Amino acid sequence: MLPWLVVALGLCAQLGTALPPRRMDTVLQMVEALEAAEELSLPELARALGSCSTPGCLAVLGDPPAAPPDLPALSPEQRALLTHLLRPDPAVPERGAVLAPDGSTVALAPLLAGVEVGLRMAGGWPGPTPEPPAALDALYAVTLTEALGMAFLLAHAHNHSGATLGPSGCWDDVENPQNFTLLGPPSPVPEAVANGALDGVLLGARLAKGPVPLAPLLRSYYGTDNGTASGRPPSSYRRRDFGALTGLKKLEEEVVAMLRLLRVLPPTRGLLEDVGEEEEGAIARRAARDFMETFVECPAIVPRCMWGARPYRGTPKPLSLPLGSVYIHHTFVPSAPCRTFAACARAMRSMQRFHQDTRGWDDIGYSFVVGSDGYLYQGRGWHWVGAHTRGHNTKGYGVGYVGNFSATLPDPDAIALVRDSLLPCAVRAGRLRHDYALRGHRQVVNTSCPGDSLFQEIRTWRGFQ
């Protein structure tokens, strides 16, 4: 271990001081301190600490810079946190993640690698040297395609056994996040790594157009300290924006290019010795398709543990999938749409208390709730019978929009989140029949829900009956 890191860690232990919270604003404070001191930039420091240690990343960006003997701009606690976040651990790739203001979790290594490539491109960098054996976009190589290609290459070698993408996870405390736990079997590309890769590509592409100071760019993108109190930060649009920038064909081509690079690098050459060109193409197609479906075309869903759900009361009853119906609701109370993670999480907790304590239900009634912050929130989820549409709870999912939509419509993005993302995704996953029926709550229960305006809107959706 580097001497200055030993001192930093030792000092933290001696003082009994906890590490700073693993939040994006903590990272941005370090960026600002390094920029003000005109010392090593955070992307360079990340590589010095080993964040770019895989064969493909090293081939593209070259050997890392030497670690500085001292960084007076950062406190010992900040240096210790950076070491924790950026020391590579292939078995736990989500370890180097932080909580963003929009409620998403972002791995720093792919984010900072994309930022470094963008800064180099803005400075006239010609790309990797020597030239790899196939046309390779450095921005995708260091953020996404090596991890994606390796994940699906190994799955192919083991007959597709084991998870290749996902899952999401939860923090121990969203106010002071220190520990992050996955919600399912680990994979090489959990959601935190995917978020970091998406952000790395988007921010790297922005920086490649012209250099700008990193701290203001990151603050603007994540909405840290300015923007999340009133509305959505750009980071909540990452899936939409990545999809607009990167089509399926482009991603497939970049995975092929990375596999061809890995084929000639000594550490990975043996993995591809028995993989022919046709198999290589099949691996790349599956990797690109699955990634785009999972992390671009399907919506992000905030799990219960992130919005602070109480435990379910009693024993949940399983649904028999696929279901044949979807019932659209509005919450009416809360009457105002929620536009931030904090506001939507409060709304979820409020509704759960009302449903459990006042109505006497086992849990919040909806299967999913739609915020105007760009995210869906898990209620009872995909697999458990809800309490949303009397007499029909075993037949379909209940999807509720936060707000009163009697006279106004939800934001266009919130409408598209269900119509264009959630429903097609549920069909592809086998959770909803392809010939599903979509109805407003009022069609099966004596109620004005989901409001006149929203009901007129859903009449135009596929499956409405």
Side-chain angles (χ1 to χ4, degrees), residues 94-113:
E94 72 281 355
R95 189 181 87 157
V98 297
L99 177 63
D102 65 358
S104 61
T105 299
V106 180
L108 288 181
L111 165 64
L112 296 176

Side-chain angles (χ1 to χ4, degrees), residues 341-412:
F341 167 66
C344 290
R346 283 195 301 270
M348 292 296 292
R349 293 191 296 271
S350 174
M351 285 186 284
Q352 187 187 42
R353 287 194 301 270
F354 176 68
H355 289 177
Q356 287 185 323
D357 298 346
T358 302
R359 292 191 168 175
W361 298 347
D362 293 334
D363 196 3
I364 189 171
Y366 305 112
S367 306
F368 298 98
V369 175
V370 191
S372 295
D373 63 337
Y375 294 97
L376 289 162
Y377 286 74
Q378 180 188 4
R380 301 209 192 183
W382 294 116
H383 300 289
W384 307 111
V385 175
H388 46 79
T389 311
R390 184 179 302 140
H392 297 76
N393 291 314
T394 62
K395 302 175 184 178
Y397 294 113
V399 179
Y401 279 84
V402 176
N404 177 357
F405 297 108
S406 301
T408 60
L409 280 174
D411 294 343

Side-chain angles (χ1 to χ4, degrees), residues 207-232:
L207 287 165
K209 297 177 181 177
V212 296
L214 184 55
L217 175 67
L218 293 175
R219 285 199 177 277
S220 173
Y221 181 76
Y222 289 109
T224 303
D225 294 342
N226 56 5
T228 54
S230 58
R232 294 175 61 177

Side-chain angles (χ1 to χ4, degrees), residues 416-436:
L417 195 63
V418 177
R419 182 192 61 202
D420 303 335
S421 296
L422 178 68
L423 298 180
C425 182
V427 171
R428 283 197 304 269
R431 293 160 173 161
L432 190 63
R433 292 208 314 256
H434 68 89
D435 59 346
Y436 65 85

Side-chain angles (χ1 to χ4, degrees), residues 115-127 204 206-212:
V115 165
E116 181 171 357
V117 167
L119 290 170
R120 287 194 189 191
M121 288 179 171
W125 181 50
R206 165 62 186 87
L207 287 165
K209 297 177 181 177
V212 296

Side-chain angles (χ1 to χ4, degrees), residues 230-394:
S230 58
R232 294 175 61 177
S235 59
S236 69
Y237 293 96
R238 61 169 64 87
R239 296 189 181 208
R240 183 203 68 181
D241 292 347
F242 182 87
L245 178 69
T246 310
L248 177 63
K249 187 64 176 175
K250 165 68 172 175
L251 184 57
E252 180 183 329
E253 290 171 351
E254 292 304 325
V255 176
V256 168
M258 174 53 69
L259 291 174
R260 291 178 180 171
L261 173 61
L262 295 174
R263 187 184 292 277
V264 301
L265 296 177
T268 51
R269 185 182 301 155
L271 294 173
L272 287 123
E273 282 180 344
D274 299 325
V275 177
E277 186 173 324
E278 186 175 334
E279 286 179 293
E280 180 183 79
I283 292 168
R285 281 191 297 275
R286 184 181 176 211
R289 182 199 66 211
D290 286 7
F291 183 87
M292 293 295 280
E293 287 183 355
T294 302
F295 293 123
V296 178
E297 296 169 10
C298 286
I301 298 175
V302 177
R304 294 168 60 89
C305 50
M306 281 294 291
W307 58 261
R310 290 173 171 178
Y312 188 95
R313 293 177 178 172
T315 303
K317 297 177 181 178
L319 290 164
S320 179
L321 305 184
L323 300 185
S325 298
V326 178
Y327 304 100
I328 302 298
H329 302 248
H330 70 166
T331 62
F332 194 73
V333 176
S335 61
C338 60
R339 302 189 185 280
T340 68
F341 167 66
C344 290
R346 283 195 301 270
M348 292 296 292
R349 293 191 296 271
S350 174
M351 285 186 284
Q352 187 187 42
R353 287 194 301 270
F354 176 68
H355 289 177
Q356 287 185 323
D357 298 346
T358 302
R359 292 191 168 175
W361 298 347
D362 293 334
D363 196 3
I364 189 171
Y366 305 112
S367 306
F368 298 98
V369 175
V370 191
S372 295
D373 63 337
Y375 294 97
L376 289 162
Y377 286 74
Q378 180 188 4
R380 301 209 192 183
W382 294 116
H383 300 289
W384 307 111
V385 175
H388 46 79
T389 311
R390 184 179 302 140
H392 297 76
N393 291 314
T394 62

